[in-house]
Amino acid sequence: MRWLIRRVLKKGKSSISYEDDTHYGEILTIGRASDQAIFLPDLRAALNHASVTAIGNGQYRVESLIIAGIRVNGEITYSITVGAGAVIELGSTRLTLLDARGDYDAAVEVSSIDKSEQAAILSKRKKPTSLSETWISKRWPSWLGFIVVLVLGLLLPAATHVVPGLNTVLRYSPLPSTQFWNPGEIDAAHQFFATDCTRCHQHAFLMVRDTACTSCHVKTKAHADPAKFNIPALGDARCGTCHQDHNGQRGMISKDQRLCADCHADLKDRTRGASQIADIADFGDAHPQFHVNLPGWTAAGEFMPKSMPWASGLKENSGLKFNHEKHLKTDGLNTPNGRKVLTCENCHQTDAAGAAMKPIAFETMCHECHQLGFDTLAPDREVPHANVEAVTYTLDEFYARRGLEGGYADARAPTIVQERRRPGSPPLSRQEQVEALAWARDRAREAARTLFTGKACVTCHSISPPTAGESTWRVAPVRVSGIWYVDANFVHSKHETKACVDCHAGASTSQASNDLLIPGIENCRECHGGAHASGKVASTCIACHAYHRSPLLTLDKQP
């Protein structure tokens, strides 16, 4: 496709000349970068600002490549189809789309907007900023406003102090009472300085400044990382835009769904497809499936969690072997302390905040049944848990001492190990020591093999035997997510009225530890609906999600 680019050159007050150029391609690019078809040496233009595509029949498709948009025929737009004669204004440059002429498929005329014309355009678009620019005079509206404010804002509330019962009458009428002077109850977090108005209102007759907030909330996480959310309306918003005090005990945090849905309902369109986040408008009927965080490893063996949409039958490869069904038998289990019936609460206990579950601890939750003894002649002696080197060291130390001290009543042991040595007996000879320690080494390796592959470690873990020339056993690492929905806030203590299996369906019949027993969105929707749900718990975005918290930036360290 051939484009005719005609530039208007002004040589004098009445002398105009033209310079024609040809551009080949489907799309005509406009911007400040050197590779643009129409180069604009204007700092108000982005490097890649806009594009124009000829779509035939004298029609053109104008598209903005930046969030600010582009002015076409006097209106700001992001994408529009226009015909010949349409005018694009960008800084001090005017581009007029023309009908194709000659052997050209499309044409555009580029001209400059002189300062006087720019001033006229600006003046035309400018809205009135004073009464003198309108048909209304200043004096009588000012006096009328003054009298209304004086009577309603001062005299009428003040009269309640001299007229008995007037304040009660005014409170039940649309007219202002003394409550008119009180903007409302202070938030619970600010009650301790509620009488010190200047703590927030540092300047009379001015809005509360952000510095009044950040002087106390120094380490509060920044709400919008400008590198990640390049949206001026988000990053430049005042604290008081969303956090307004005098709205009651818990009125500082806005919970209105519009706070999030105004942007996220059509986020892909707003960012022209740059956002990878799905559009979300309401939990009840406009929310995608949850993304669950599962354990994963790189090719080098490094732990790297992976996020994926929840799906039925999804597996969680945590490296642990565990059978829920066996542990949740209704008739109980045989334990060293007798018959015992286990429930979910025996292992899954909430933390102090009542939000997440405490990590599973072998010592307090498993050890009562799964003891780590290794020698019938020393039933109270056990190896430590979760440390292969410590297990090996414990076994070597135990049997080396038994071999050197003697008195170990095992028919398989050499005589020097079985013999009980009396106090004052002569020390072992060099040969006897070598024999005793050789037995201890073999016995420790035998005990380790029994522990790792026979009755202890292999019950819950995947075990790899030592390779040739080594003596170290390998236990597959266990990495349970713990927090499966990292971008959502869930509090278990608020759901105590529900049984565990109501949300974690299949837990009592699960026989494999890689069964993902975490619920998806449909399970939550059984009780929770959108912001205006009827018959369900009305849930807004802020019920589960925090507001754009930066992991690193704080309010005192924003760029």
Side-chain angles (χ1 to χ4, degrees), residues 392-411:
T392 304
Y393 177 83
T394 299
L395 295 175
D396 288 340
E397 179 272 335
F398 176 82
Y399 286 109
R401 182 172 181 176
R402 291 295 180 270
L404 294 175
E405 287 183 348
Y408 184 76
D410 186 352

Side-chain angles (χ1 to χ4, degrees), residues 186 190-201:
I186 294 290
H190 295 168
Q191 285 288 335
F192 72 98
F193 62 82
T195 58
D196 184 8
C197 300
T198 58
R199 181 74 71 92
C200 295
H201 302 277

Side-chain angles (χ1 to χ4, degrees), residues 209-228:
R209 294 295 189 256
D210 287 350
T211 52
C213 303
T214 56
S215 61
C216 291
H217 299 274
V218 176
K219 297 303 179 183
T220 298
K221 294 294 184 182
H223 289 341
D225 186 342
K228 185 176 182 181

Side-chain angles (χ1 to χ4, degrees), residues 161-384:
H161 292 280
V162 295
V163 179
L166 179 59
N167 193 42
T168 303
V169 174
L170 292 177
R171 285 192 177 187
Y172 292 95
S173 73
L175 297 175
S177 64
T178 52
Q179 289 295 108
F180 185 75
W181 293 345
N182 183 5
E185 186 180 4
I186 294 290
D187 186 84
H190 295 168
Q191 285 288 335
F192 72 98
F193 62 82
T195 58
D196 184 8
C197 300
T198 58
R199 181 74 71 92
C200 295
H201 302 277
Q202 298 174 343
H203 305 283
F205 305 107
L206 293 177
M207 293 185 297
V208 176
R209 294 295 189 256
D210 287 350
T211 52
C213 303
T214 56
S215 61
C216 291
H217 299 274
V218 176
K219 297 303 179 183
T220 298
K221 294 294 184 182
H223 289 341
D225 186 342
K228 185 176 182 181
F229 304 101
N230 188 18
I231 305 174
L234 179 63
D236 298 339
R238 292 178 53 249
C239 299
T241 303
C242 301
H243 302 289
Q244 299 179 0
D245 208 340
H246 298 282
N247 285 321
Q249 287 287 319
R250 299 190 181 278
M252 285 288 288
I253 299 178
S254 176
K255 296 184 178 180
D256 194 324
Q257 182 159 288
R258 290 175 297 178
L259 178 70
C260 306
D262 281 353
C263 287
H264 283 268
D266 57 349
L267 191 61
K268 289 189 180 296
D269 289 339
R270 284 175 173 269
T271 61
R272 299 183 58 79
S275 173
Q276 301 301 314
I277 302 175
D279 289 342
I280 302 173
D282 184 84
F283 181 77
D285 53 18
H287 192 292
Q289 180 58 266
F290 297 152
H291 270 65
V292 62
N293 207 49
L294 296 179
W297 285 266
T298 64
E302 297 178 352
F303 180 71
M304 180 177 290
K306 52 187 177 182
S307 178
M308 60 183 62
W310 183 95
S312 178
L314 200 62
K315 298 298 181 181
E316 178 185 21
N317 297 314
S318 62
L320 182 70
K321 300 177 185 177
F322 188 81
N323 188 319
H324 276 86
E325 183 183 45
K326 181 181 294 184
H327 288 79
L328 294 176
K329 288 182 177 181
T330 55
D331 58 346
L333 299 171
N334 288 322
T335 73
N337 297 321
R339 199 76 177 171
K340 186 173 184 179
V341 177
L342 298 180
T343 63
C344 301
E345 291 78 7
N346 287 105
C347 298
H348 300 290
Q349 303 167 4
T350 56
D351 57 18
M357 290 291 176
K358 296 178 181 178
I360 300 297
F362 173 85
E363 289 73 16
T364 58
M365 299 177 181
C366 311
H367 181 250
E368 180 182 348
C369 298
H370 298 277
Q371 299 178 0
L372 300 179
F374 57 89
D375 196 303
T376 56
L377 299 179
D380 296 331
R381 187 68 185 268
E382 298 184 38
V383 294

Side-chain angles (χ1 to χ4, degrees), residues 71-90:
R71 187 177 296 277
V72 180
N73 292 333
E75 300 292 335
I76 295 294
T77 184
Y78 290 99
S79 180
I80 189 173
T81 300
V82 295
V87 176
I88 302 172
E89 296 176 11
L90 208 165

Side-chain angles (χ1 to χ4, degrees), residues 121-169:
I121 294 173
L122 183 62
S123 177
K124 182 179 179 181
R125 294 174 182 162
K126 184 180 179 182
K127 303 297 182 183
T129 57
S130 66
L131 288 177
S132 62
E133 298 176 0
T134 68
W135 57 271
I136 305 175
S137 66
K138 296 181 180 180
R139 186 170 298 277
W140 70 264
S142 300
W143 278 108
L144 179 61
F146 171 75
I147 293 173
V148 170
V149 172
L150 179 65
V151 173
L152 298 181
L154 179 62
L155 298 181
L156 191 59
T160 60
H161 292 280
V162 295
V163 179
L166 179 59
N167 193 42
T168 303
V169 174

